[in-house]
Each structure stands twice: as C-alpha cells, then as structure tokens.
Amino acid sequence: GAGVSQSPRYKVTKRGQDVALRCDPISGHVSLYWYRQALGQGPEFLTYFNYEAQQDKSGLPNDRFSAERPEGSISTLTIQRTEQRDSAMYRCASSLRTSGSWGETQYFGPGTRLLVL
Amino acid sequence: DAKTTQPPSMDCAEGRAANLPCNHSTISGNEYVYWYRQIHSQGPQYIIHGLKNNETNEMASLIITEDRKSSTLILPHATLRDTAVYYCIVRVDPNTGNQFYFGTGTSLTVIP
C-alpha cells in the first residue's frame, strides 16, 4: 500500500467496553510501533514489534492494553474495559528495517480517534 | 522522558527562513537527532535526521553543533503549508529500544 493505514478512523464506545484498533503497515516494513496522542501533546510511545515479536511494551499504561502482530504484518491494539481517560488519538507507525538499525525512519498512519463515553 | 527542549511557539514570515532550535544537552554519542512535523491532526511526517554532520534534503537543513548539545532545523523558504508543530527527537539507543519521545514540540506559524 501507499502508506500506513489504520481502522477505524473514529471509534466511539461506552465505558467498560473492549475496543480493537487495527494497523496495516507499509508493505514490506518489518517494524511496527504504536503511539497514543492526547490533544495538544506529542505522540507517546506505547509498544513496538520487529516482525511478529513484541520487543518492548513498557509504554503500555496498564494491563488493559495489549497488542499483537501474529503474522508480522497487520497489528491490533486492544483496550479492555475502556475508561474515559483512554480517549485519545492512537497512532501506528512502521519502518522498513528493524528497530535495531540506526537512523531508521518511522512512517505514521492517520490514527484512530477513540472516544470513551 | 523527552530528552529535548524546544520553544513552544514561533512565527515566521512567508518566504523567509524558519530556524527552529532544539536543545538536547544530555545526548549520547550514538543517538541521532530526528525532526518530525505534524500538520493539523495528520500523522507525524518525517523531515530529516542526523548524527554529527549537518544534513540537507529537499525539505530542510539540519545544523548540529559540534558538541551535539543543540541543533537547528532550517526551512529555507517557509510557506503557509509549513505551519505545523515541529518535533525534535533524540532517538533512544536502538539496541535497547526504538522509542521516539516526542515532547510537546514547537508550533510554527507562517504568516502571510
């Protein structure tokens, strides 16, 4: 594909519901990253994958957040029992080479705006 | 965990050079300096990155001081479409992680 795609673009859910956010990286990109962005703030790192392996999940706020990338391509960020404070823009990025490469560039998707009522 | 300091906002006249400063006094020897920008609610867009030497591409120039404690992003002829939030990022050692810490950036307004 031409760029990183994310779906849905907008998600409104009720507190306590689970949500799944999808990221489709640029074809051939081996690394995938998830960020969260609050209004007026820069993106905040959540987690990343090299191929299907989750390398670092230290940025996930708590155990309600999880991510997977089972086949090394599409990734899903899942938030269980959503809370109002989870409302934010969730952004995905991908890079061509693994994150172990110096000078590697990340390309960002348009994001999913999540609103928890 | 942001390791950079940027002014919160700047103005620049259209057609003039926009010089955006960034302090990264705790940068380590192998850490790259990246610049991204974000227009409205779009995803961050890569601009340029560098390690020690000055870099130039079709979008901008990056000037890194000799001690690497600060850098300046230069947009040589700013246009209205360059109005955006500009993030200076020091990349964490990729051997331990690839996190980009964006901070709050500089909101650049290009004035007609």
Side-chain angles (χ1 to χ4, degrees):
Chain A
V4 178
S5 61
Q6 294 184 244
S7 61
R9 294 293 307 277
Y10 302 92
K11 178 69 177 178
V12 181
T13 190
K14 292 183 178 179
R15 186 179 54 186
Q17 297 294 306
D18 298 350
V19 295
L21 312 180
R22 172 182 166 133
C23 173
D24 200 339
I26 294 173
S27 178
H29 279 202
V30 301
S31 292
L32 185 148
Y33 317 85
W34 282 100
Y35 293 83
R36 179 172 68 174
Q37 187 169 19
L39 208 58
Q41 301 293 318
E44 170 194 12
F45 170 81
L46 296 177
T47 186
Y48 81 94
F49 295 82
N50 284 342
Y51 300 97
E52 72 282 359
Q54 190 170 18
Q55 299 294 320
D56 183 347
K57 53 183 180 180
S58 64
L60 295 176
N62 51 59
D63 60 8
R64 295 186 297 105
F65 287 72
S66 63
E68 63 175 9
R69 194 188 185 199
E71 298 179 359
S73 179
I74 295 169
S75 177
T76 302
L77 177 70
T78 301
I79 309 173
Q80 295 179 312
R81 305 180 302 282
T82 53
E83 301 177 4
Q84 288 182 327
R85 60 177 173 162
D86 299 333
S87 296
M89 176 74 82
Y90 289 83
R91 297 197 185 274
C92 173
S94 69
S95 63
L96 179 62
R97 291 179 289 273
T98 67
S99 58
S101 306
W102 289 112
E104 189 55 36
T105 298
Q106 297 181 18
Y107 298 90
F108 283 79
T112 294
R113 183 167 295 283
L114 174 65
L115 176 62
V116 182
L117 301 176
Chain B
D1 288 18
K3 300 173 65 173
T4 62
T5 303
Q6 299 176 254
S9 63
M10 292 182 62
D11 293 338
C12 177
E14 187 179 16
R16 303 296 295 269
N19 298 297
L20 292 90
C22 180
N23 287 324
H24 30 79
S25 58
T26 61
I27 194 170
S28 299
N30 289 331
E31 289 179 324
Y32 278 71
V33 178
Y34 279 76
W35 283 84
Y36 278 74
R37 74 180 183 184
Q38 194 167 22
I39 299 172
H40 297 301
S41 60
Q42 298 178 22
Q45 176 191 23
Y46 167 79
I47 301 174
I48 199 167
H49 72 278
L51 181 61
K52 297 178 181 178
N53 301 319
N54 298 337
E55 302 288 344
T56 296
N57 62 21
E58 65 278 5
M59 290 183 68
S61 295
L62 174 60
I63 308 299
I64 302 174
T65 59
E66 190 170 346
D67 63 7
R68 303 210 323 121
K69 293 183 183 300
S70 65
S71 61
T72 300
L73 178 74
I74 300 173
L75 307 178
H77 306 286
T79 70
L80 299 180
R81 289 177 296 179
D82 292 323
T83 293
V85 178
Y86 287 77
Y87 296 99
C88 170
I89 304 160
V90 170
R91 183 159 178 260
V92 172
D93 182 346
N95 293 315
T96 60
N98 194 39
Q99 300 91 329
F100 275 9
Y101 294 104
F102 278 78
T104 54
T106 295
S107 178
L108 174 69
T109 301
V110 180
I111 302 170

